[in-house]
Amino acid sequence: MTKREVIYLTKEGYENLKKELETLRKKLMYEIAERIKEARELGDLSENSEYDEAKNEQGKIDSRIKQLEEILNNAEIIEDNGDNSIVRIGSKVLLENLESKETMEIRLVNTHEANIFENKISIDSPIGKALLDRRVDEELMVRAPSGNIKYKILAISK
């Protein structure tokens, strides 16, 4: 028996993935099935691009459903233990760019939850790796495509 890989998710991330799974299941069951049915009714399937398109989309959705099921089956929701002294997965971190003096708040999450537009940064990213297990007032250097960037941790919260 193989040991399962635990995937740590925030409660919000877990719920979002569950909603996505439900949406995809409904879409696969109804919309795609209906499109395939309609395409079959058009006749010869060998030259039916609508049928091919619907089958391809069905395959993509089915693959994503399996991926989501695997993630959710192996998920463990991160519990807030009230300790905000160290950066962990699920932490919100207020950072100051020491060169530009700009601040930004990011949340460290698993790669399955990462979303740059929501400032949710993967723990596997360069900045995520650099932040883990750090404390307030610590400075860190992050290698970026534009060069090294020096940050200071101003606050940690959940």
Side-chain angles (χ1 to χ4, degrees):
M1 186 169 161
T2 60
K3 184 179 177 187
R4 79 179 184 113
E5 177 191 344
V6 175
I7 298 171
Y8 295 100
L9 298 173
T10 62
K11 181 147 181 64
E12 175 189 7
Y14 182 85
E15 294 301 324
N16 288 340
L17 292 176
K18 268 179 53 176
K19 284 179 194 169
E20 181 185 352
L21 179 60
E22 289 173 28
T23 301
L24 289 175
R25 282 182 175 153
K26 288 176 185 171
K27 185 173 185 170
L28 184 64
M29 288 176 65
Y30 300 109
E31 292 174 29
I32 302 298
E34 189 61 31
R35 282 181 49 200
I36 291 170
K37 180 183 167 202
E38 289 171 6
R40 278 189 178 140
E41 291 171 356
L42 293 175
D44 184 10
L45 297 181
S46 63
E47 294 182 20
N48 188 329
S49 63
E50 288 87 1
Y51 178 79
D52 290 339
E53 237 178 80
K55 289 298 281 182
N56 283 339
E57 189 171 346
Q58 180 185 41
K60 288 177 187 173
I61 291 172
D62 189 50
S63 178
R64 180 64 176 156
I65 286 172
K66 285 182 172 87
Q67 181 185 34
L68 289 170
E69 288 172 341
E70 179 74 17
I71 292 167
L72 293 171
N73 286 335
N74 292 310
E76 188 172 307
I77 296 175
I78 303 161
E79 296 294 326
D80 181 6
N81 63 4
D83 180 8
N84 292 330
S85 64
I86 296 177
V87 177
R88 294 177 167 69
I89 186 170
S91 294
K92 285 184 183 174
V93 183
L94 182 62
L95 293 172
E96 177 185 19
N97 180 320
L98 292 176
E99 187 175 307
S100 69
K101 300 301 181 197
E102 291 180 19
T103 61
M104 67 176 174
E105 184 176 72
I106 62 172
R107 183 163 190 180
L108 284 184
V109 296
N110 191 293
T111 55
H112 303 291
E113 289 184 72
N115 183 333
I116 192 72
F117 301 110
E118 296 176 1
N119 291 334
K120 293 179 179 179
I121 306 299
S122 168
I123 56 171
D124 294 328
S125 69
I127 195 165
K129 287 178 182 176
L131 281 169
L132 280 177
D133 299 323
R134 298 289 189 124
R135 296 179 183 274
V136 172
D137 291 330
E138 279 193 54
E139 294 180 3
L140 53 131
M141 184 75 69
V142 177
R143 174 168 280 172
S146 60
N148 292 335
I149 303 171
K150 196 169 184 181
Y151 293 101
K152 181 176 182 178
I153 299 173
L154 301 178
I156 303 169
S157 63
K158 290 290 177 193

